[in-house]
Amino acid sequence: MLSVNHIFCGYNNQDIIKDISFDVEAGCNLSIIGPNGCGKSTLLKAIAHIIPYRGSIKIGETEISETKRKDLAKNIALMTQINSIHFPYTVYETVSLGRYCHMDGMLPRLSSLDKDIIYDSMEKVGLLSIRNAKINQLSGSQLQRVFLAKIFAQDPKIILLDEPTNHLDLRYQIELLEYIKQWKKKKERAVVTVLHDLNLVQEYADKVILLNNGEKFQYGAIKDILSNKSLEEVYKIDIKKWMTKVMIKWQA
Ligand SMILES: Nc1ncnc2c1ncn2[C@@H]1O[C@H](COP(=O)(O)OP(=O)(O)OP(=O)(O)O)[C@@H](O)[C@H]1O
């Protein structure tokens, strides 16, 4: 459902991402991994069309650069790390923003269907009881759930997540990725995630693209990528050996 073909993109006329191609099928959770600064977030920004690109990025048959922003929002939603909160909206108001791409007219109003979807989205991530709380008074994990509910309310086909588990403790990291896993079960949905924690990648990804210096180093099924020597070559550390050493300590 998402086809990325020979794309180049970057900043100030300098390419960070160089000639990357891959496909994401419906039902897939693709993880983009690689060392710091290799271009993971930049690639995600191009897919969300936040930055321009050369080459082709299509959802179905439609090139995203030729799609109006509002129509693109019906297909793709991007969740980044928590940024500063500028407006003290309530949880309900923030989640409602997800519906705007589906509304028409100069002064759009939420229909009863929109309201049902907003409530359903808040319920999915356990926010109903705090729906009237101001978001600038929430904890980091509550705030992440608010942004996730907003994305669920947006009801896109593809969710892009840029290090969504940063600042969350292990319980909430797992909780967030489980919410996404449940969301993805519905037909014609896919997820692309930038994750640093290779244990979470191991557990939640179906496919992996391993970047190195803005280029595709490896791409394939999770078990093939995480078990071969490419990781060591790119990260400059024997990750499997390190993980296994720590695991033995947990088992002691
Ligand atoms: N807005 C920007 N303007 C100019 N250069 C940028 C901008 N954002 C990122 N870069 C540069 O692009 C390169 C790739 O950055 P990017 O954030 O995509 O990497 P990353 O793999 O996501 O890194 P990390 O794992 O550290 O989050 C880096 O050299 C970075 O300095």
Side-chain angles (χ1 to χ4, degrees), residues 145 168-178 204:
R145 279 189 283 147
L168 297 181
D169 71 32
L170 185 59
R171 175 189 153 195
Y172 288 115
Q173 293 179 26
I174 293 168
E175 186 184 88
L176 187 127
L177 293 170
E178 285 292 329
Y204 289 99

Side-chain angles (χ1 to χ4, degrees), residues 11-12 16 35-42 45 163 196:
Y11 312 94
N12 312 318
I16 299 290
N36 287 134
C38 70
K40 302 179 293 295
S41 299
T42 303
K45 284 186 214 164
E163 296 178 34
H196 274 297

Side-chain angles (χ1 to χ4, degrees), residues 4 15 22 32 52 69 85 96 116-117 162 221 232 236 238:
V4 175
D15 287 330
F22 59 89
I32 303 172
R69 178 69 36 206
I85 302 296
S96 303
D116 285 350
I117 293 171
D162 193 355
E232 191 176 338
K236 315 283 184 221
D238 187 338

Side-chain angles (χ1 to χ4, degrees), residues 33-71:
I33 63 170
N36 287 134
C38 70
K40 302 179 293 295
S41 299
T42 303
L43 177 56
L44 219 54
K45 284 186 214 164
I47 299 171
H49 201 215
I50 290 172
I51 58 170
Y53 60 86
R54 306 192 308 285
S56 168
I57 304 177
K58 284 184 175 175
I59 297 175
E61 294 303 312
T62 311
E63 188 68 39
I64 63 161
S65 58
E66 291 161 12
T67 310
K68 285 189 187 135
R69 178 69 36 206
K70 203 169 170 184
D71 291 329

Side-chain angles (χ1 to χ4, degrees), residues 1 24-29 184 186-191 206:
M1 58 196 294
V24 182
E25 306 94 31
C28 180
N29 185 338
K184 188 175 70 75
K186 212 166 146 186
K187 253 173 86 178
E188 294 301 307
R189 285 177 171 175
V191 180
D206 304 304

